[in-house]
Amino acid sequence: NRDINEAIEICEVAAYSEEEQRRYEKYWDRVRYENTLLHEKFREGAEEGLKEGIERGLEKGLKKGKTEGKKEGLAEGEKKKETEFIINAYQNGISIEQIAKIVQLSVENITEILRQNGINT
């Protein structure tokens, strides 16, 4: 029983001589000091681990974000270039059907792209 064990320990300590009590208190002071150090080191380690984890996560996220951003940017650039080609081709007299064959889109898609850019067909 925990309470009985604690009571026995109190009785034993009460029976110590002054020198034994000093050593006993010194022992518990060292234990508390070491526990404090361990707790502090654990806290520092946890903070360092968290910081490192955040840095790694951000680094990984930035790399992934840059890769995805480049892909999106390239796709947008290609689409813009394609739209410019369609507009130029139509304005230079190439039929919608011919443009559709060249860029491999449907006639409806070509018509919609032209309409979105203010060109009536």
Side-chain angles (χ1 to χ4, degrees), residues 5-119:
N5 287 335
E6 191 175 320
I8 291 171
E9 185 177 345
I10 290 170
C11 290
E12 287 175 352
V13 172
Y16 288 166
S17 68
E18 284 184 33
E19 179 60 31
E20 288 173 323
Q21 284 184 355
R22 247 192 320 273
R23 280 188 284 171
Y24 180 79
E25 287 301 320
K26 194 173 184 177
Y27 166 78
W28 282 111
D29 284 344
R30 282 194 310 260
V31 168
R32 284 188 288 272
Y33 177 75
E34 287 178 17
N35 281 340
T36 301
L37 288 179
L38 286 173
H39 178 73
E40 183 64 23
K41 290 296 180 188
F42 176 79
R43 189 186 58 75
E44 288 173 5
E47 286 177 2
E48 187 177 314
L50 178 62
K51 182 180 175 184
E52 186 177 322
I54 289 171
E55 288 173 0
R56 283 184 184 178
L58 286 173
E59 185 177 302
K60 207 173 194 181
L62 286 174
K63 284 181 183 177
K64 185 177 181 183
K66 284 181 181 180
T67 301
E68 289 176 7
K70 283 180 183 179
K71 287 179 184 177
E72 286 178 23
L74 286 172
E76 279 183 37
E78 287 177 16
K79 185 171 180 150
K80 185 176 180 180
K81 198 92 162 150
E82 181 179 70
T83 300
E84 289 173 0
F85 172 80
I86 291 169
I87 292 168
N88 279 337
Y90 184 74
Q91 289 175 338
N92 283 296
I94 299 175
S95 72
I96 292 177
E97 291 77 14
Q98 289 174 322
I99 296 170
K101 283 182 184 178
I102 294 169
V103 295
Q104 299 177 342
L105 291 175
S106 68
V107 171
E108 292 80 17
N109 284 345
I110 301 298
T111 305
E112 180 61 22
I113 290 169
L114 291 170
R115 186 191 64 72
Q116 287 174 351
N117 286 279
I119 298 172

